[in-house]
Short mmCIF file of all heavy atoms in Angstrom, two decimals:
data_model
loop_
_atom_site.label_atom_id
_atom_site.label_comp_id
_atom_site.label_asym_id
_atom_site.label_seq_id
_atom_site.Cartn_x
_atom_site.Cartn_y
_atom_site.Cartn_z
N MET A 685 39.56 -21.71 25.35
CA MET A 685 40.90 -22.32 25.30
C MET A 685 41.92 -21.35 25.86
O MET A 685 41.83 -20.21 25.46
CB MET A 685 41.20 -22.75 23.84
CG MET A 685 41.05 -24.25 23.59
SD MET A 685 42.36 -25.09 22.93
CE MET A 685 43.35 -23.95 21.96
N SER A 686 42.73 -21.81 26.61
CA SER A 686 43.79 -20.84 27.19
C SER A 686 44.91 -20.67 26.20
O SER A 686 45.23 -21.59 25.36
CB SER A 686 44.33 -21.43 28.50
OG SER A 686 45.40 -22.29 28.33
N ASN A 687 45.49 -19.56 26.14
CA ASN A 687 46.54 -19.21 25.22
C ASN A 687 47.66 -18.50 25.99
O ASN A 687 47.87 -17.22 25.79
CB ASN A 687 45.93 -18.28 24.20
CG ASN A 687 46.97 -17.87 23.09
OD1 ASN A 687 47.76 -18.78 22.61
ND2 ASN A 687 47.05 -16.62 22.70
N ILE A 688 48.39 -19.23 26.79
CA ILE A 688 49.47 -18.64 27.62
C ILE A 688 50.61 -18.30 26.65
O ILE A 688 51.11 -19.13 25.86
CB ILE A 688 50.02 -19.61 28.67
CG1 ILE A 688 48.85 -19.93 29.62
CG2 ILE A 688 51.18 -19.03 29.40
CD1 ILE A 688 48.42 -18.84 30.51
N GLU A 689 51.08 -17.01 26.67
CA GLU A 689 52.22 -16.52 25.79
C GLU A 689 53.32 -16.01 26.66
O GLU A 689 53.04 -15.55 27.83
CB GLU A 689 51.72 -15.45 24.84
CG GLU A 689 50.73 -15.97 23.80
CD GLU A 689 50.19 -14.81 22.96
OE1 GLU A 689 50.40 -13.64 23.30
OE2 GLU A 689 49.50 -15.13 21.97
N ARG A 690 54.45 -15.89 26.05
CA ARG A 690 55.54 -15.12 26.72
C ARG A 690 55.95 -14.02 25.70
O ARG A 690 55.93 -14.13 24.57
CB ARG A 690 56.83 -16.02 26.88
CG ARG A 690 56.55 -17.10 27.90
CD ARG A 690 57.69 -18.10 27.98
NE ARG A 690 57.32 -19.07 28.97
CZ ARG A 690 58.13 -20.07 29.48
NH1 ARG A 690 59.35 -20.15 28.98
NH2 ARG A 690 57.67 -20.93 30.35
N GLU A 763 54.93 -13.63 31.23
CA GLU A 763 54.04 -14.68 30.83
C GLU A 763 52.65 -14.40 31.36
O GLU A 763 52.47 -14.03 32.53
CB GLU A 763 54.61 -16.02 31.35
CG GLU A 763 53.78 -17.16 30.81
CD GLU A 763 54.24 -18.52 31.31
OE1 GLU A 763 53.97 -18.84 32.47
OE2 GLU A 763 54.84 -19.21 30.51
N LYS A 764 51.73 -14.60 30.48
CA LYS A 764 50.28 -14.43 30.78
C LYS A 764 49.44 -14.91 29.62
O LYS A 764 49.94 -15.14 28.54
CB LYS A 764 49.99 -12.94 31.09
CG LYS A 764 48.67 -12.56 31.65
CD LYS A 764 48.39 -11.03 31.61
CE LYS A 764 46.91 -10.81 31.98
NZ LYS A 764 46.58 -9.38 31.94
N GLU A 765 48.18 -15.12 29.86
CA GLU A 765 47.25 -15.32 28.81
C GLU A 765 47.29 -14.18 27.83
O GLU A 765 47.25 -13.02 28.21
CB GLU A 765 45.84 -15.40 29.39
CG GLU A 765 44.68 -15.63 28.41
CD GLU A 765 44.35 -17.09 28.31
OE1 GLU A 765 44.70 -17.85 29.21
OE2 GLU A 765 43.58 -17.38 27.39
N ASP A 766 47.53 -14.40 26.48
CA ASP A 766 47.59 -13.47 25.47
C ASP A 766 48.57 -12.29 25.91
O ASP A 766 48.27 -11.09 25.73
CB ASP A 766 46.21 -12.82 25.27
CG ASP A 766 45.17 -13.82 24.70
OD1 ASP A 766 45.58 -14.73 23.95
OD2 ASP A 766 44.06 -13.73 25.15
N ALA A 767 49.74 -12.67 26.29
CA ALA A 767 50.72 -11.76 26.85
C ALA A 767 51.17 -10.64 25.89
O ALA A 767 51.42 -9.53 26.29
CB ALA A 767 51.96 -12.51 27.43
N VAL A 768 51.35 -10.99 24.62
CA VAL A 768 51.88 -10.12 23.62
C VAL A 768 50.98 -8.85 23.51
O VAL A 768 51.40 -7.71 23.73
CB VAL A 768 52.14 -10.79 22.32
CG1 VAL A 768 52.62 -9.74 21.24
CG2 VAL A 768 53.19 -11.86 22.39
N LEU A 807 53.93 -12.39 18.37
CA LEU A 807 54.45 -13.60 19.12
C LEU A 807 55.77 -14.07 18.41
O LEU A 807 56.74 -14.48 19.14
CB LEU A 807 53.41 -14.74 18.97
CG LEU A 807 53.57 -15.97 19.82
CD1 LEU A 807 53.59 -15.56 21.37
CD2 LEU A 807 52.35 -16.94 19.60
#
Side-chain angles (χ1 to χ4, degrees):
M685 262 231 331
S686 86
N687 182 46
I688 300 292
E689 295 176 347
R690 291 177 183 183
E763 186 178 76
K764 191 189 167 180
E765 178 95 15
D766 299 320
V768 174
L807 194 56

